[in-house]
Amino acid sequence: MYDFAPTPGQPKQALYKDLVEAAQTITRGEGDAVANMANCAALMAGFLPDLNWAGFYRMIGGELVLGPFSGRPACIRIALGQGVCGAAAATGETQLVPDVHAFPGHIACDAASRSELVVPVRRNGAVIAVIDLDSPLLARFDAEDAAGIEALAKAIANRI
Ligand code: SME
């Protein structure tokens, strides 16, 4: 049994350090990408407060395809450049969106989502997936969240 859990009240930096360590531990020595993404989605949902969706879209055949996640059922395919995920995949840049209603082309998979963070996962320079976090709170994500998820993306890039 795994028993990864955040320490109550810990500052964000420490929270993300623990999340990344948990992700490294749980994916170590496991070559199955789906299993690793599924466990990482569960870890993000368990460690990070105020989320309504946490998971992966994978770059397959030039578009994003839904991967393992925690949350409500979501749109399956997203074209490059479409929505927040497609923007992250097309530009290779983290997308920090304080108000999804103000983001042109935002794709509403869950009407409850108000803010979103999408981080590209790169391997050998190419975007192979994105990590997507949604929150029902406005401006839920800040630069520390972006840096924390970027560290996670780097840590697991060779394991998904
Ligand atoms: N909102 C995303 C779509 C994915 S769902 O949030 C899970 C977007 O605009 O790309």
Side-chain angles (χ1 to χ4, degrees):
M1 188 189 88
Y2 294 108
D3 195 16
F4 298 113
T7 306
Q10 75 189 143
K12 254 188 207 183
Q13 263 189 325
L15 179 69
Y16 279 105
K17 186 170 172 288
D18 287 356
L19 171 61
V20 171
E21 278 176 15
Q24 280 172 325
T25 301
I26 208 164
T27 59
R28 187 166 295 132
E30 176 51 63
D32 189 88
V34 171
N36 288 338
M37 285 186 278
N39 269 331
C40 288
L43 284 173
M44 291 189 288
F47 271 69
L48 306 174
D50 301 318
L51 302 184
N52 60 326
W53 206 91
F56 292 83
Y57 279 88
R58 300 151 303 140
M59 186 80 93
I60 298 175
E63 64 181 345
L64 290 172
V65 183
L66 183 63
F69 66 93
S70 170
R72 296 181 66 170
C75 33
I76 298 166
R77 291 174 188 272
I78 298 176
L80 284 197
Q82 273 190 3
V84 187
C85 291
T91 62
E93 303 285 339
T94 292
Q95 304 290 310
L96 185 53
V97 181
D99 179 359
V100 295
H101 295 164
F103 187 95
H106 166 254
I107 302 163
C109 291
D110 181 341
S113 296
R114 294 307 310 277
S115 57
E116 184 160 0
L117 172 64
V118 183
V119 171
V121 183
R122 292 174 170 280
R123 193 192 298 148
N124 301 325
V127 176
I128 58 161
V130 300
I131 298 175
D132 182 17
L133 300 181
D134 284 39
S135 172
L137 303 183
L138 267 177
R140 155 67 181 81
F141 307 103
D142 60 17
E144 280 191 325
D145 295 292
I149 297 299
E150 284 166 359
L152 176 66
K154 212 169 176 180
I156 62 171
N158 287 326
R159 301 179 182 179
I160 68 165

